[in-house]
Amino acid sequence: MTTEKSENKERIGVYVCHCGSNIAGIVDVQDVAEWAGRDLAERGVVVSRDYKFMCSSLGQELIEKDIQEEGLTRVVVAACSPHLHEATFRTACSRAGLNPYLCELVSIREQVSWVHTDKEAATEKSKAVLSGGVERVIHHEPLEPLHVPIHPATLVVGGGISGIQAALEIADAGFPVYMVEREPSIGGHMAQFDKTFPTLDCSACILTPKMVSVGNHPNINLFTWSEVEKVDGYVGNFTVTIRKKARYIKTELCTGCGICQEKCPKKLIDDVYEAGLGYRKAVYTPFPQAVPKYPVIDRENCTFFQKGTCKVCQKFCPTDAIDFEQEDELITVQVGNIILATGFDLFDPRKVSQYGYGRLANVFSSLEFERLTNAAGPTNGNIVLRDGVTTPRAVGIIHCVGSRDRNFNNYCSVICCMQSLKFAHLVHERTGATVYNFYIDMRTAYKEYDEFYQRILEEGTLFVRGKVAEVTGAARSPGEEGRLIIQVEDTLAGKQRRIPVDMVILSAALQPRYDAKEVAHKFGISCSANGWYIEKHPKLDPVATMTEGIFIAGCVQGPKDIPTSVSQGAAAAARILGRIQQKEIALEPVRASVDQDKCSGCRICNSMCPFNAIIFHEDRMVTEVNPALCQGCGTCIAACPAGAISGTGFSDQQILAQIEGLLMVNFEHARVAELG
Amino acid sequence: MTENFEPVIIGFTCNWCSYRAADLAGTARIKYPPNVRLIRMMCSGRLDPSFVMKAFSEGADGVLITGCHPGECHYLEQNYKALRRFLLMRRTLAQFGIEPGRVKLVWASAAEGVRLANEISKIVEEVRALGPLNWPKWKDNGVHKIALHELEEV
Ligand SMILES: Cc1cc2nc3c(=O)[nH]c(=O)nc-3n(C[C@H](O)[C@H](O)[C@H](O)COP(=O)(O)OP(=O)(O)OC[C@H]3O[C@@H](n4cnc5c(N)ncnc54)[C@H](O)[C@@H]3O)c2cc1C
Ligand code: SF4
Ligand code: SF4
Ligand code: FES
């Protein structure tokens, strides 16, 4: 090994970053740099420096200057994670005329100074990690990024406000969009609301025009009552299979007159749009402003499909648009990029059993209340008890139901405080009832939000700070008879209180879609343990994901309000438009290739590739890798018994050398030698 | 000797999940012992068993292989291949006299910084309990090299 090694002729520059005190506070960076300059000189290290902030422009200039003046042929930076600054240092090298792939960034911050406390051990580990990088970089090869063309069409999954915004931005810029929405209409949660905080503008008034634009836009191809079945391919060129579920309506004939829904004898509770508070028919459009206007027949509940007779809708349809013979269609489209904007589900407040939802009639969920206040809702906007007539005299609104609670979700659902204040206002305005808001902390941090809170305070809503212990119907005094009693510790007064009300509203948490993980897997992106989709960088890259070409927007990434959802939709669109304009994208040139002279034709690798990148030439009995399809996972490389496959960026030599470096095979003080 | 024994563990981490989990453990300042040194690979499927042999033969006392959870591999299903190879390799290693406890396969998603840190702490303790691996003794008589070579041929 050692003889083989001393043949190295590279001129390597080593740069150890202090990262202020982030690294230097634990790692003796000066010692590491001096050590590398001295002990790794034999390995080709000709320059070794430590510097306060390597990523600053001065730090980068240091590297550039050395490349030019010292004739460096390789660069190793010991700093933060490559996921953060690999690109920064590569670009610096390239500016100085060194191929960017001849640079290696090793992490002594995320993997050393931030996770270890013993200074000596951290310094020693940093040396090992650096030595690994030096050994590895010797085997780097100059590479060119791969350029893949970007198909100009975009797929937007989810037609809530974030998806709508994204689709319109792209379509308005002149590029085609396919929008896939699972429900019969687009609109998402926003379509269920009456008013939106903090301005209290009417939700439908601001949403409907956008929905109509999506429906009419010449560049948007809208698939509702549809789902993405399969996604193949990669950034620039995805092949997406969409399942367009049978609507049993000939949309070319349907005028959206609504007679079918009127006549349909099958009435059932609408759990989606009406949040269980209202009814719909088996043939339905979820709400009058639905886009598209065509209804769907819900097969599971249609009397004809279940019992074989009925067809009332067909008899009454004036244009003969009902078609019971329709079948699901599979449609394949090509797109260059994808935006996932599938939103959130509401936490089921039944799980907090002490609040009585589902057991006590007049305990409502937040979405139910939205429907109750909606002028187009089941009560025409009248805030009444479950009996449908009685106006409440006192209403209790409980914040944080299922949020900030170890038993359910640790996180804050962001919008619930504001949404609870909105409810307080609406109850106040429409019923004159006494309103109590039960909160843990009041979180109203955004433009005009705290002002809204002040306004609600002035309107006379009573605020009780404390987590509600129980909502019960068991009266202890005549005054409590027939009412709901909220048992709470008022932490400001330092007292237990029992507050009788007539209606309780539970501001339930926002949680990931029930099928979020499944959908994430379909698109090859990661989600956090609870199911929110993970952005590429929490601060600096909030709408991209780790998977090239897949973007996220809105509540799919975490709870948020409408303005933020819209901003993310627009941001994702802007990112994609930039790429479409560029017409191509540069990708990491990490790919496998087969040395056909070494290939024995055993075909062991042939079954390894999930992307069908491996082709076997029967005539010559050799294997080849198609670089356009190869994604560079390296599985075939590891499988080939002849060592015929090599991988750029992660070659056997690079990895084996890094192992030697990490184990400091060269050094006297290595434990290996002690044992020997 | 075992009393002050600080094992050296080489970790092979997949770029998409566990390497990000390591980043996250860092960002969240979760502490774990400094005995582990990570190598980034694009996928757990890249793991050639000879890398593990190499690590042991050059002085590692343990090897930690990490990848995405089953069903979550960035390259769809390559972690299943890694799992198959891992199981085979563990048997081969036993034939070389290497205790199965010295190699571990762990799934850790990008969000599981805490889990990764815990798994690192665990393997460090387990390998510490096993004591140093005696492979390096063979280092200079070339035996391991033949072994390695043979394994590559298989
Ligand atoms: C009770 C309540 C009141 C609120 N009030 C306000 C307010 O006043 N002001 C405010 O700013 N914010 C408010 N919010 C927050 C607001 O609802 C969200 O910010 C907004 O709806 C997020 O939009 P979205 O497009 O990300 O998700 P959603 O509105 O959830 O839309 C997602 C869409 O994707 C579709 N979909 C889901 N999965 C799939 C799939 N696999 N395939 C295809 N389509 C799919 C869904 O059917 C839906 O149409 C409130 C929230 C709640 C719960
Ligand atoms: S495994 Fe290697 S030798 Fe066998 S066919 Fe594939 S490239 Fe050729
Ligand atoms: S490295 Fe091999 S297995 Fe992986 S994508 Fe490329 S050709 Fe397929
Ligand atoms: S990408 Fe992580 S195991 Fe395959």
Side-chain angles (χ1 to χ4, degrees), chain A residues 332-541:
Chain A
T332 306
V333 299
Q334 300 292 123
V335 296
N337 293 281
I338 296 174
I339 299 176
L340 297 178
T342 48
F344 64 95
D345 275 339
L346 198 72
F347 169 78
D348 179 2
R350 274 180 196 84
K351 291 189 185 149
V352 193
S353 57
Q354 64 271 29
Y355 292 171
Y357 183 72
R359 183 162 45 84
L360 302 168
N362 291 315
V363 178
F364 290 79
S365 76
S366 44
L367 266 182
E368 280 183 310
F369 186 77
E370 288 288 354
R371 297 309 303 149
L372 211 53
T373 55
N374 195 305
T379 60
N380 304 319
N382 290 320
I383 299 172
V384 287
L385 299 184
R386 201 75 72 171
D387 64 11
V389 286
T390 317
T391 305
R393 283 173 295 138
V395 175
I397 302 171
I398 306 180
H399 296 219
C400 296
V401 177
S403 310
R404 307 177 69 205
D405 180 335
R406 277 170 197 223
N407 300 313
F408 307 103
N409 299 304
N410 281 337
Y411 56 80
C412 165
S413 288
V414 182
I415 58 106
C416 318
C417 278
M418 281 301 289
Q419 165 241 287
S420 303
L421 294 172
K422 171 175 80 175
F423 289 178
H425 168 83
L426 292 172
V427 173
H428 215 89
E429 182 188 63
R430 299 202 188 159
T431 66
T434 311
V435 186
Y436 300 89
N437 274 45
F438 300 89
Y439 69 101
I440 313 178
D441 296 293
M442 190 58 72
R443 299 193 163 174
T444 51
Y446 197 55
K447 190 174 175 180
E448 302 289 336
Y449 282 13
D450 211 57
E451 290 88 330
F452 186 72
Y453 174 33
Q454 299 306 325
R455 171 175 169 191
I456 305 307
L457 271 171
E458 279 157 25
E459 283 178 2
T461 293
L462 303 165
F463 287 89
V464 180
R465 185 173 179 277
K467 197 164 164 61
V468 170
E470 190 190 17
V471 177
T472 169
R476 283 198 202 151
S477 63
E480 293 181 354
E481 289 296 341
R483 307 189 75 188
L484 292 170
I485 300 97
I486 296 176
Q487 172 81 47
V488 60
E489 183 190 356
D490 183 332
T491 56
L492 294 182
K495 279 200 177 103
Q496 285 290 338
R497 295 177 65 180
R498 285 171 68 82
I499 299 176
V501 294
D502 307 304
M503 172 189 266
V504 171
I505 307 165
L506 304 179
S507 292
L510 272 55
Q511 59 181 32
R513 289 276 177 197
Y514 69 94
D515 59 348
K517 288 190 180 164
E518 219 177 284
V519 173
H521 184 228
K522 195 174 282 172
F523 290 90
I525 64 163
S526 344
C527 45
S528 65
N530 41 32
W532 300 115
Y533 291 1
I534 303 178
E535 60 281 10
K536 191 160 186 182
H537 190 280
K539 281 148 251 167
L540 304 181
D541 213 347

Side-chain angles (χ1 to χ4, degrees), chain A residues 1 22 81-83 86 107 110-111 114-117 121 125 128 234 521 524 528-529 534-536 546-547 590 607-608 610-611 631-635 637-639 641 650-652 655-656 658-660 662-663 665 671-672 675, chain B residues 6 8 10 12 15-16 19-20 22-23 25-27 29-34 36-43 45-48 51 54-55 58-61 71 74-78 81 85 111 132-133 136 139 145 152 154:
Chain A
M1 278 294 146
N22 277 307
S81 166
H83 284 149
E86 188 172 60
S107 168
E110 285 80 352
Q111 285 177 29
W114 278 352
V115 288
H116 305 322
T117 44
K125 179 172 170 184
Y234 265 80
H521 184 228
S528 65
I534 303 178
E535 60 281 10
K536 191 160 186 182
M546 284 298 279
T547 305
V590 177
S607 62
M608 291 292 147
F611 309 106
Q631 299 305 319
C633 70
T635 308
I637 309 174
F650 291 84
S651 68
D652 281 358
I655 295 172
L656 292 171
Q658 189 175 6
I659 296 173
E660 284 182 14
L662 288 176
L663 291 168
V665 172
R671 203 190 50 79
V672 183
L675 279 173
Chain B
E6 284 300 336
V8 177
I10 293 291
F12 295 96
N15 177 60
W16 301 99
Y19 199 87
R20 293 203 92 204
D23 279 355
T27 319
R29 313 295 199 275
I30 298 158
K31 305 295 178 218
Y32 56 80
V36 71
R37 298 163 194 181
L38 303 183
I39 293 182
R40 181 163 67 118
M41 300 191 303
M42 290 314 277
C43 174
R46 177 67 184 92
L47 187 87
D48 187 326
F51 297 166
K54 171 79 175 174
E58 299 285 14
D61 303 292
H74 186 70
Y75 307 95
L76 310 177
E77 53 189 35
Q78 307 302 61
K81 289 164 191 154
R85 275 181 204 153
L133 176 67
K139 185 174 157 53
K145 273 208 164 158
E152 277 169 355
V154 174

Side-chain angles (χ1 to χ4, degrees), chain A residues 238-405:
Chain A
F238 293 99
T239 305
V240 181
T241 312
I242 301 168
R243 175 175 293 273
K244 200 171 156 202
K245 290 179 280 182
R247 252 189 146 93
Y248 306 108
I249 305 289
K250 290 184 188 149
T251 50
E252 61 288 4
L253 297 180
C254 174
T255 59
C257 68
I259 292 179
C260 52
Q261 331 196 28
E262 224 173 83
K263 301 292 178 189
C264 172
K266 182 67 188 275
K267 189 170 161 185
L268 58 137
I269 291 178
D270 180 356
D271 280 325
V272 181
Y273 183 70
E274 294 292 5
L277 210 59
Y279 297 89
R280 64 164 168 85
K281 297 294 185 62
V283 54
Y284 72 110
T285 44
F287 51 101
Q289 308 90 328
V291 170
K293 62 188 176 209
Y294 322 117
V296 297
I297 296 180
D298 157 20
R299 202 186 157 104
E300 261 73 71
N301 289 297
C302 166
T303 313
F304 170 71
F305 279 116
Q306 297 312 318
K307 305 223 169 85
T309 53
C310 179
K311 293 197 173 179
V312 169
C313 50
Q314 199 170 42
K315 270 169 230 141
F316 284 95
C317 177
T319 62
D320 259 336
I322 310 278
D323 175 8
F324 288 101
E325 305 294 305
Q326 248 175 28
E327 280 178 8
D328 288 8
E329 266 178 84
L330 289 180
I331 294 154
T332 306
V333 299
Q334 300 292 123
V335 296
N337 293 281
I338 296 174
I339 299 176
L340 297 178
T342 48
F344 64 95
D345 275 339
L346 198 72
F347 169 78
D348 179 2
R350 274 180 196 84
K351 291 189 185 149
V352 193
S353 57
Q354 64 271 29
Y355 292 171
Y357 183 72
R359 183 162 45 84
L360 302 168
N362 291 315
V363 178
F364 290 79
S365 76
S366 44
L367 266 182
E368 280 183 310
F369 186 77
E370 288 288 354
R371 297 309 303 149
L372 211 53
T373 55
N374 195 305
T379 60
N380 304 319
N382 290 320
I383 299 172
V384 287
L385 299 184
R386 201 75 72 171
D387 64 11
V389 286
T390 317
T391 305
R393 283 173 295 138
V395 175
I397 302 171
I398 306 180
H399 296 219
C400 296
V401 177
S403 310
R404 307 177 69 205
D405 180 335

Side-chain angles (χ1 to χ4, degrees), chain A residues 82-120:
Chain A
H83 284 149
L84 206 62
H85 273 310
E86 188 172 60
T88 312
F89 297 115
R90 280 183 175 173
T91 316
C93 289
S94 154
R95 273 197 303 266
L98 186 68
N99 182 288
Y101 296 93
L102 300 177
C103 167
E104 172 79 0
L105 173 56
V106 296
S107 168
I108 58 166
R109 190 179 75 174
E110 285 80 352
Q111 285 177 29
V112 181
S113 67
W114 278 352
V115 288
H116 305 322
T117 44
D118 180 334
K119 293 190 176 177
E120 203 178 316

